[in-house]
């Protein structure tokens, strides 16, 4: 038999054919395998393919041979990723706000390559299940890489930070001045990537949206804040924030009806101490960054939840309630009061 021009690549093409075209529901017969190889300009006979398949099995590919009727079929059994796992990855990529639509499509195509072409169709259909709002900053992937490099090399960074204005234009904060900080970690919360860093100027730990960071540069200065981060608890820090808005962290006591206990556990974790108040109510004391977002969360839970301590946080809630009353005050003629109290 004459050899094809790609004969030296026979084993690689054979592995590609079996990995891309077969799964436990779709096999290839020996004549089909020979035909596929021929399309790559590789000539082979049954005997050599049997030997090659054994070599691939020895290498680690889970190639199954199964007789159905008079024909023998060959297919991949186990893979590094099972189809349900790939579906989960696709859903995660598609739903992540910090990944642009363009990059989502690229990543999903790469995930599809981990399955057979038949299973890839199921993954492709999942792309259309969601129309979530996605970031428009394509540079986030390079930002994450630069931040990891800075953390790994124990270097400070500088960057510029932007926000959107009413004209839907990117507008640099601090009039375009550089931010300088010591990066210590990355976290993913509320479907966005955040850098957690130490600011020596005011001795605080802060977080920044990675997709809003521009022109990240490493600085030839060692990171600061090592002592602060030695005792830093990232999960606790994340639980204390609401909508990733900062605020003074305090121990806040919340009283709620018993049927709200699941809400508290979902928000603050199972390790909170639940203290009965009476037959129908309990209280918890949790660490919270007291912000308007936290107060809004309490308000949204309704009349069965209230803050009872400390007094200054209770007063913040009272002021927020008065502000809402004034903001939505309506006159007797049905018109809204724009300023002043009702």
């Amino acid at each position: 038999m004459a050899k094809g021009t790609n004969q030296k690549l026979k084993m690689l093409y054979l592995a590609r054919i079996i990995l891309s075209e077969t799964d436990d529901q779709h096999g290839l017969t020996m004549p089909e395998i020979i035909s596929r190889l021929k399309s790559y300009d590789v000539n082979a006979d049954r005997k050599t393919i049997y030997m090659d398949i054994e070599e691939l099995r020895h290498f680690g590919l889970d190639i199954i041979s199964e007789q159905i009727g008079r024909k023998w079929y060959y297919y991949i059994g186990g893979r590094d990723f099972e189809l349900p796992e790939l579906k989960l990855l696709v859903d995660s990529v598609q739903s992540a706000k910090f990944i642009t639509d363009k990059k989502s499509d690229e990543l999903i195509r790469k995930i599809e390559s981990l399955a057979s072409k038949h299973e890839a169709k199921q993954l492709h259909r999942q792309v259309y299940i969601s129309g979530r709002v996605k970031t428009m900053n394509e540079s986030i992937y390079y930002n994450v890489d630069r931040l990891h490099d800075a953390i790994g090399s124990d270097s400070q960074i500088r960057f510029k930070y932007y926000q959107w204005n009413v004209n839907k234009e990117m507008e640099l904060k601090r009039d375009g001045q550089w931010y300088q900080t010591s990066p210590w970690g990355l976290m993913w919360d509320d479907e966005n990537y955040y850098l957690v860093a130490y600011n020596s100027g005011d001795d605080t730990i802060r977080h920044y949206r990675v997709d809003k960071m521009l022109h990240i540069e490493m600085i030839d200065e060692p990171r600061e804040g090592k002592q602060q981060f030695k005792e830093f608890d990232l999960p606790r820090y994340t639980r204390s924030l609401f909508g990733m808005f900062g605020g003074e962290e305090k121990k806040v006591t919340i009283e709620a009806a018993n049927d709200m206990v699941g809400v508290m556990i979902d928000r603050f974790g199972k390790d909170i101490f639940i203290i009965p108040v009476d037959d129908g109510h309990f209280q918890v004391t949790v660490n919270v960054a007291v912000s308007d977002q936290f107060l809004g969360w309490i308000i949204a839970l309704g009349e069965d939840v209230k803050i009872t301590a400390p007094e200054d946080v209770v007063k913040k809630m009272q002021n927020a309630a008065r502000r809402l009353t004034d903001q939505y005050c309506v006159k007797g003629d049905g018109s809204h009061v724009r300023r002043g109290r009702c």
Side-chain angles (χ1 to χ4, degrees):
M1 178 183 291
K3 293 183 177 180
T5 57
N6 290 323
Q7 207 68 24
K8 291 183 179 180
L9 301 175
K10 180 177 66 170
M11 193 76 78
L12 294 176
Y13 283 125
L14 177 59
R16 174 190 286 181
I17 290 165
I18 294 176
L19 284 169
S20 65
E21 297 195 34
T22 74
D23 52 54
D24 56 7
Q25 299 296 317
H26 305 87
L28 290 174
T29 64
M30 188 58 67
E32 287 172 333
I33 293 174
I34 292 172
S35 175
R36 299 294 196 281
L37 284 170
K38 193 171 183 180
S39 69
Y40 289 109
D41 204 9
V42 174
N43 293 324
D45 56 32
R46 289 174 178 268
K47 184 178 179 180
T48 58
I49 293 178
Y50 290 141
M51 295 170 60
D52 291 339
I53 287 176
E54 284 304 315
E55 288 295 323
L56 290 174
R57 285 170 175 159
H58 183 70
F59 179 70
L61 292 187
D62 184 25
I63 302 176
I64 308 297
S65 56
E66 181 181 6
Q67 185 175 11
I68 302 176
R70 291 186 173 185
K71 296 181 179 180
W72 282 87
Y73 290 86
Y74 299 84
Y75 60 90
I76 284 291
R79 294 175 183 265
D80 290 338
F81 290 92
E82 297 178 1
L83 184 59
E85 294 171 329
L86 295 177
K87 288 180 178 179
L88 181 62
L89 291 175
V90 168
D91 285 347
S92 299
V93 168
Q94 184 64 17
S95 63
K97 288 169 61 178
F98 70 87
I99 304 178
T100 63
D101 282 325
K102 177 184 175 183
K103 197 63 177 180
S104 291
D105 290 341
E106 292 176 4
L107 290 174
I108 289 169
R109 282 198 298 272
K110 292 177 180 179
I111 292 173
E112 288 174 359
S113 71
L114 299 174
S116 72
K117 65 179 184 180
H118 310 286
E119 292 175 333
K121 293 177 182 178
Q122 297 184 49
L123 299 174
H124 187 70
R125 284 199 295 269
Q126 287 201 337
V127 175
Y128 304 102
I129 67 174
S130 176
R132 296 173 177 88
V133 175
K134 308 280 276 183
T135 184
M136 288 171 280
N137 186 358
E138 190 74 24
S139 66
I140 184 171
Y141 320 105
Y142 309 105
N143 286 355
V144 170
D145 194 43
R146 291 190 188 102
L147 292 172
H148 278 301
D149 285 345
I151 293 169
S153 61
D154 197 33
S155 300
Q156 291 188 39
I157 61 168
R158 70 173 189 169
F159 59 93
K160 296 192 177 184
Y161 207 51
Y162 78 85
Q163 61 188 357
W164 294 104
N165 63 24
V166 294
N167 296 318
K168 296 187 285 187
E169 299 168 334
M170 290 169 55
E171 186 176 80
L172 292 177
K173 301 186 74 171
R174 293 185 182 176
D175 295 322
Q177 294 183 28
W178 290 98
Y179 286 65
Q180 182 171 334
T181 191
S182 297
W184 282 94
L186 288 161
M187 67 182 199
W188 186 7
D189 190 89
D190 193 28
E191 297 191 79
N192 289 301
Y193 246 131
Y194 292 87
L195 168 69
V196 182
Y198 173 74
N199 283 2
S200 59
D202 53 6
D203 188 30
T204 58
I205 292 174
R206 296 190 178 185
H207 58 270
Y208 303 92
R209 276 266 299 270
V210 175
D211 60 313
K212 294 186 180 297
M213 299 169 69
L214 299 173
H215 314 305
I216 299 172
E217 298 176 1
M218 276 193 284
I219 299 174
D220 191 20
E221 294 181 28
R223 288 185 302 171
E224 299 174 320
K226 184 175 182 180
Q227 187 60 40
Q228 288 82 349
F229 272 87
K230 186 179 291 184
E231 301 176 357
F232 183 70
D233 185 342
L234 184 57
R236 176 179 171 274
Y237 176 74
T238 304
R239 288 196 301 269
S240 73
L241 300 172
F242 282 76
M244 294 305 297
F245 285 87
E248 184 181 359
E249 188 169 319
K250 296 194 173 190
K251 288 188 178 293
V252 176
T253 300
I254 301 171
E255 183 178 309
N258 286 345
D259 60 1
M260 301 298 292
V261 67
V263 174
M264 297 299 153
I265 290 175
D266 287 344
R267 175 66 234 192
F268 300 107
K270 201 174 180 180
D271 57 346
I272 58 174
F273 289 101
I274 298 172
I275 302 173
V277 174
D278 53 39
D279 289 343
H281 298 81
F282 68 92
Q283 72 176 24
V284 295
T285 299
V286 292
N287 288 295
V288 171
V290 180
S291 63
D292 289 342
Q293 286 68 32
F294 165 64
L295 300 179
W297 180 73
I298 292 291
I299 291 171
L301 293 177
E303 60 184 0
D304 288 335
V305 179
K306 67 178 181 179
I307 298 170
T308 58
E311 186 61 29
D312 62 327
V313 179
V314 173
K315 287 182 178 179
K316 282 180 180 290
M317 178 59 82
Q318 291 170 343
N319 290 335
R322 279 193 288 269
R323 179 187 63 76
L324 286 171
T325 300
D326 291 345
Q327 185 173 345
Y328 292 97
C329 183
V330 178
K331 296 179 182 178
D333 60 2
S335 61
H336 287 272
V337 176
R338 296 186 61 83
R339 295 180 178 82
R341 296 185 177 277
C342 289

